[in-house]
Amino acid sequence: MQYCSTRDSAVRVEAAKAIAQGLSRDGGLFCPMEIPRLSDLEFAALLEMNYQQRAAFVIGKFLTDYSADELLEFANTAYHSDRFTAPAVAPVHPLDDSTHILELWHGPTCAFKDMALQILPYLLTAALKKTGEEKKACILVATSGDTGKAALEGFADVDGIQIAVFYPKDGVSRVQELQMTTQSGNNVYVSSVYGNFDHVQSKMKEIFSDVDLREKAAEKNVFFSSANSINWGRAVPQIAYYVSGYCDMVKNGSISLGDQINVCVPTGNFGNILAAYYAREMGVPIKKLICASNENNVLTDFFNTGCYDRNRDFHVTISPAMDILISSNLERLLFHLSGQDDKTIRAYMSALATDGKYVVNEALKSRLSDLFHAGFCDDVRVKKTISEVFSKYNYLIDTHTAVGVRVYQDYVAETGDVTKTLIASTASPFKFADSVLSAIGVDTDIDGTELLDILSKTTSVSVPGPLAELKNKTERFKNAVTKDEIVNAVFDFIG
């Protein structure tokens, strides 16, 4: 399978090259030239597979320059029981007859990013061998909270790779911060940045597309790559859990094979819900993709008006992983829906860079409306949702999952559509213990890891092991830089 750039469809690379490079040199994102379809026989076979086998099978449909054997080996290692506490890896938990929660947080960092970032190191190291790359890879990561730790955990002490993670200062929860700043490994670097996630992400993209910086790194026998969802190797494993979630709904009798479902995803950078779109195009019978945003509702406005406008107030919320105004992966969706019209995508992205907004044409707007519904939820309703779900179902959800649940409830109230729905649950509630405690009526001045035990005692839910271990770890990284100091920090790190 060939991949092209969203900004130059004449670019042609195989999957290994797309994964090793991360971002196209023109600033575009790599996309598959075609999306493979799963046959009825393949769906029937997937029903009988475990998660590791399903993941290897789905990923293999896109990474055709990798063998089935190596992908299965990677999946078995990445999703092994010593890393994922749930035997099903990504289990489906029914709240009621119509609402099903896809739990994506049973990995080593207790967030959905583990689903991709535990297997990405294997995909990337194999890609370096396949492409004959001899330079050391420096993985640059911009994170709004969860990607950073998941990437650090996946790449720590991997031979031939260094990883530098940057996160917005005061823009993540204390637990998220401690997960990153206590990271072990001789090849890791972590720094906070004064500003928000969009500032950090924009600087990462500048570094990837700057010829002079690439040459300067090459002089040190280093090349830059990405573990953010702009990297296809990060995006493709996420498709697998929507395929698997559908199969599990069939297996547990919630639906019959071929029945339609809706999928609701709390999203900021658009990568997670984009994976659901790819699953739909592969043949998973998804009726509606429900895009759930927090108060930074740039995506909600986009789907409702056709105008993407980041020129608005930035809100720091209790669902910080979604505090984003530039949703990078939306570019991939527009590329596919426009019929791979790179000229149009270049114009949109240029307008976004210079004016902070763009307006899609009527044909695209119509297609988006057919596929997506969008809504948002503020912090007050997030807390109310956490409280209501815990009270009604004795089930504890985090602040991001609560956004998804509430927007789904709003969708049903607005449309009357009671199609059974899979809601992506993106993080353990213990990662945002202060907000979750407040939501269920427990106010405390305590901060940090002590909140974990308070939440556990209050709810009778056990603290996930990887988070409980934070209490005994020492912070290694306490530095903060401005966005203009990021480049110097990177080059100091790579030596």
Side-chain angles (χ1 to χ4, degrees), residues 277 280-281 286-290 333 337 366-373:
Y277 162 79
R280 182 186 187 276
E281 296 304 295
I286 297 172
K287 178 181 177 182
K288 206 74 171 182
L289 293 160
I290 304 169
L333 177 69
L337 296 186
S366 176
R367 182 66 175 135
L368 290 166
S369 296
D370 290 341
L371 290 171
F372 288 86
H373 174 90

Side-chain angles (χ1 to χ4, degrees), residues 397-416:
I397 57 176
D398 86 297
T399 51
H400 303 76
T401 305
V403 171
V405 171
R406 177 60 70 179
V407 169
Y408 165 65
Q409 292 171 344
D410 292 345
Y411 167 78
V412 173
E414 178 182 337
T415 66

Side-chain angles (χ1 to χ4, degrees), residues 336-363:
H336 289 299
L337 296 186
S338 67
Q340 302 184 355
D341 185 349
D342 56 353
K343 181 179 179 181
T344 294
I345 302 306
R346 283 199 307 272
Y348 290 160
M349 295 305 113
S350 177
L352 182 64
T354 57
D355 304 324
K357 64 179 181 179
Y358 60 85
V359 180
V360 299
N361 58 47
E362 286 301 318

Side-chain angles (χ1 to χ4, degrees), residues 416-430:
D417 181 8
V418 293
T419 300
K420 294 186 179 183
T421 297
L422 193 64
I423 301 176
S425 180
T426 56
S428 164
F430 286 88

